[in-house]
Amino acid sequence: MNIHTPSNIKTGISVCPHDCPSACALEVELLDERTIGRVRGAKANSYTLGVVCEKVSRYAERIHHPDRLLYPLKRTGKKGSGTFARVSWEEAMAEVAERFLTIEKEHGSEAIWPFWYAGTMGLVMRDGIERLTHAKSYSRMYGSFCVSLSWPGYAAGVGAIRGVDAREMQKSDLIVVWGGNPVNTQVNVMTHIGIAKKTRGANVACVDIYDTGTMKQADHKYIIRPGTDGALACAIMHVLFRDGFANRDYLEKYTDDPRGLEAHLQTKTPEWAAAICGLAPERIVEFAHLIGKTERCFFRLGYGFTRGRNGSANMHAVTCIPAVTGAWLHEGGGALHSASGMYRWNKTLISGKDLAKPGIRVMDQSRIGQVLVGNPHDLRDGPPVKTLFIQNTNPVSVAPEQNVVKQGFARDDLFTVVHEQFMTETARYADIVLPATMFLEHDDIYQGGGHQHIMFGRKLVEAPGECRSNHDVICDLASRVGAEHEGFTLTPREIIDRTLKDSGRRSLEDLDRENWFDVQPDFEASHFLKGFAHADGKFHFRADWRKAAGVISTMGVLGPVDQLPVLPDHVQITDPSNEDVPFRLATSPARTFLNSSFNETPGSRKREGRPNLMIHPDDMAKLGIAEGDLVIAGNRRGQVRMHAKAHEGQQRGVVIAESIWPNDAFEDGCGINSLVGSDQPAPAGGGAFHDNAVWIRAA
Ligand SMILES: Nc1nc2c(c(=O)[nH]1)N[C@H]1C(S)=C(S)[C@@H](COP(=O)(O)OP(=O)(O)OC[C@H]3O[C@@H](n4cnc5c(=O)[nH]c(N)nc54)[C@H](O)[C@@H]3O)O[C@H]1N2
Ligand SMILES: Nc1nc2c(c(=O)[nH]1)N[C@H]1C(S)=C(S)[C@@H](COP(=O)(O)OP(=O)(O)OC[C@H]3O[C@@H](n4cnc5c(=O)[nH]c(N)nc54)[C@H](O)[C@@H]3O)O[C@H]1N2
Ligand code: SF4
Ligand SMILES: [Mo]
């Protein structure tokens, strides 16, 4: 579809493919068949409402970046040296296929590990690699980086991963942004909040561990110690029961054990929580009263507060609050974490599930370092991984336990293929690097995570050099290694059309005409007024953690699940602090990077400056550190060098390194995840990226 702007520049409609809950509908200026101009949010989309983040508005910087990979490359230097020579696609793919077939013959199919994540959120380009995995019985990957802590916590209470229509924030009187920083991470939340502020005088409350951009726009600011949200939530509920704000009719009708919860909360007083989370007791009471008095209270629950070892328990505790007040009953009230559970895709054609053989091993993505260095537990007592085939992720930068990850990638007997847009840290370790298209150079279909649209992301420009899409590369490889499935024979458009129909939706023809489908269930279903998504129809104050793990884990229950509380509580199972490692480090997302994407674009690099460690001025004085000094943060996993930046907006002892900078932006090449652990938190594993005990000293 083409429309014309007043300046007569042609524009096309597409979708932002990055791993962001906003999944914005885009209007892209098309200067010629290969060149884009500005990118804007589509005004006609009722969630995007014409707004996109600054990093995507200047996407021309990324798609036309001089460092884009344009041709297949073959390693000529030492592993990890980044020395490559250009080769043809035929030469590259013939070598990949030959090595895969040999390794399969010598070590079995499970010695090959296709590894991927969410560099693009397009269903065809992201998940097609699973079709190859299943067709060849290669080792499977459990994708645990992102949602493995938050989803079980949300599902434990609500029963599913969905909630209130995001646009209902416009009708709220109080929006509680808890453990998310939408000003950085999904700007469109702020659009809807802005409408509520303007039209109804709504208030915003924000719960975070430092003074974020979102916090700065909040009317009520609650800055707590990391990993203490469960305590705060319990004390809020204690006050709600104590001071007459609990909706007892709602509790009887819609929840599993209201009396058990009330009794359990007797000792969870504001004073008890204050000692844990660091807020004054009267501020906790004030917050509880604000929540209790506001019927239209919308809980927008982020991911950040779950990225710790007690993160699932904390998510569950916070979801219990609107179940106590009955906020779910009201328009503009209730909760939303993610809409992902709402789509009910049939992805058989995309992911080839019909070919999945039982008994093939599954390995945890967040344990990639341990897998590659041959930890038998992580290899599930199977053969060593001899080959990695990587699309859509940059594990040498983004995965926990970076030093072990690098050790694994450096193995000379590991054959690594990386299909990428840039020479990332991971690509640098590859034997073969393949150049990938960007979203405006291929067709795909997307879903909103923080809203409710199915969207068509069109190819609008021709790819530069010899870039090929994930789908094309997977189909080519499939034919060379003897993998057969209908999905390898169809075009992306054919796959999209069939997947829509297989999932009970209208056709691609309709989607192509309309750009997106709004698939939010009706009010009653979105607010669980006919019951929550558990078999008994109740919201569960009593969490069944083993069952909750199943909402995401393909490896069953992981981690010390018996340490999680059944009723909401504070559990002290975070990375242990002691006098050797007295500081708590969080690696919260920077505004103009998106994980490790965009950290190559000049606009983002300029805005973010350099890797800084935000430290409380009193802590700096105590450590004898001045503004701008080079400091080292360390723990048993590694050491990272950054510049000290005085920052007052957090409690003493809490430090923040906004992320994710390229590893080589740090003086000795050790990126921030050198400090992050990969131990699997209960109940489903996941990245505890904001839960790190560290020491700090002047460099
Ligand atoms: N600009 C930008 N946008 C992004 C990303 C990015 O890297 N950069 N990443 C994308 C991805 S993959 C995701 S999953 C989403 C994530 O987006 P969010 O849901 O916003 O999650 P985070 O950004 O990890 O963390 C949000 C906030 O939680 C805070 N936090 C950390 N620990 C705690 C805690 O214990 N308690 C509380 N209350 N708060 C805590 C952090 O300081 C941070 O300000 O964002 C997406 N959007
Ligand atoms: N310290 C710290 N670490 C974190 C986090 C944090 O908050 N702090 N957040 C974690 C979270 S929530 C997540 S989701 C992970 C995300 O980590 P990743 O999934 O690795 O995400 P990105 O860093 O964006 O890297 C995606 C890569 O995919 C490539 N790519 C994009 N589109 C395509 C395509 O169509 N084809 C191919 N072949 N490649 C493509 C991009 O160029 C980019 O290099 O990081 C985690 N790591
Ligand atoms: S990164 Fe997020 S906010 Fe920015 S354009 Fe993409 S979907 Fe929208
Ligand atoms: Mo994520």
Side-chain angles (χ1 to χ4, degrees), residues 296-426:
R296 293 173 175 240
C297 177
F298 194 116
F299 286 78
R300 187 66 187 82
L301 307 173
Y303 288 92
F305 78 106
T306 70
R307 303 207 190 286
R309 288 162 183 76
N310 58 4
S312 292
N314 290 344
M315 172 62 92
H316 175 245
V318 177
T319 62
C320 292
I321 301 172
V324 170
T325 61
W328 288 100
L329 291 168
H330 309 285
E331 192 180 25
L336 176 66
H337 171 54
S338 165
S340 305
M342 188 182 76
Y343 293 95
R344 301 187 317 275
W345 291 107
N346 177 343
K347 288 203 289 187
T348 309
L349 191 59
I350 294 178
S351 64
K353 272 207 181 96
D354 47 331
L355 297 182
K357 288 185 199 67
I360 300 298
R361 79 170 161 189
V362 190
M363 295 181 289
D364 181 355
Q365 165 178 74
S366 296
R367 300 280 294 174
I368 181 170
Q370 296 293 337
V371 166
L372 295 182
V373 300
N375 184 329
H377 168 77
D378 294 289
L379 289 168
R380 317 290 304 274
D381 297 316
V385 168
K386 292 294 213 179
T387 276
L388 282 171
F389 180 76
I390 301 179
Q391 287 183 325
N392 300 328
T393 182
N394 182 14
V396 178
S397 167
V398 307
E401 230 181 1
Q402 186 175 106
N403 287 326
V404 182
V405 176
K406 285 174 174 166
Q407 207 186 316
F409 269 88
R411 265 174 46 199
D412 271 321
D413 68 329
L414 179 71
F415 179 67
T416 301
V417 183
V418 177
H419 187 199
E420 248 300 347
Q421 298 163 339
F422 289 99
M423 185 56 77
T424 59
E425 292 89 337
T426 308

Side-chain angles (χ1 to χ4, degrees), residues 59-244:
Y59 211 81
E61 274 191 4
R62 188 163 193 274
I63 195 169
H64 304 310
H65 198 296
D67 295 344
R68 246 191 100 170
L69 294 172
L70 300 177
Y71 307 102
L73 302 169
K74 185 177 164 157
R75 177 167 69 87
T76 51
K78 223 173 113 255
K79 271 251 162 164
S81 63
T83 321
F84 295 92
R86 181 176 165 183
V87 291
S88 68
W89 269 101
E90 180 50 38
E91 195 182 329
M93 293 307 287
E95 173 160 353
V96 173
E98 195 264 320
R99 294 292 290 267
F100 276 35
L101 290 169
T102 310
I103 286 166
E104 184 181 346
K105 212 156 123 200
E106 288 174 4
H107 303 276
S109 62
E110 289 182 328
I112 298 168
W113 198 23
F115 193 93
W116 53 279
Y117 207 49
T120 172
M121 294 290 276
L123 304 190
V124 177
M125 300 298 168
R126 186 189 64 194
D127 300 338
I129 191 170
E130 288 205 281
R131 191 187 325 122
L132 179 67
T133 305
H134 291 318
K136 290 294 295 178
S137 296
Y138 294 153
S139 282
R140 294 181 200 161
M141 186 200 75
Y142 165 40
S144 61
F145 282 156
C146 184
V147 305
S148 292
L149 280 152
S150 68
W151 283 17
Y154 189 88
V158 173
I161 304 300
R162 57 187 173 82
V164 172
D165 186 330
R167 295 165 297 190
E168 267 187 48
M169 276 185 271
Q170 296 174 18
K171 311 257 179 73
S172 299
D173 293 319
L174 175 65
I175 299 114
V176 180
V177 179
W178 196 309
N181 180 15
V183 163
N184 282 17
T185 59
Q186 50 162 328
V187 65
N188 305 75
V189 169
M190 302 312 291
T191 310
H192 295 272
I193 288 178
I195 294 171
K197 279 185 155 214
K198 211 161 143 192
T199 58
R200 323 175 49 86
N203 275 327
V204 178
C206 183
V207 185
D208 207 295
I209 56 167
Y210 76 118
D211 192 12
T212 62
T214 307
M215 188 68 78
K216 289 192 171 69
Q217 294 191 29
D219 306 282
H220 306 275
K221 305 167 197 268
Y222 303 99
I223 298 182
I224 64 174
R225 286 193 195 115
T228 63
D229 303 79
L232 176 58
C234 284
I236 288 171
M237 290 188 282
H238 170 100
V239 175
L240 291 171
F241 276 108
R242 186 191 72 188
D243 296 351

Side-chain angles (χ1 to χ4, degrees), residues 16-18 20-24 26 51-53 55-56 185-188 594 598:
C16 175
H18 290 283
C20 169
S22 277
C24 291
L26 305 179
V51 177
V52 288
C53 63
K55 58 193 177 299
V56 168
T185 59
Q186 50 162 328
V187 65
N188 305 75
L594 198 147
F598 296 90

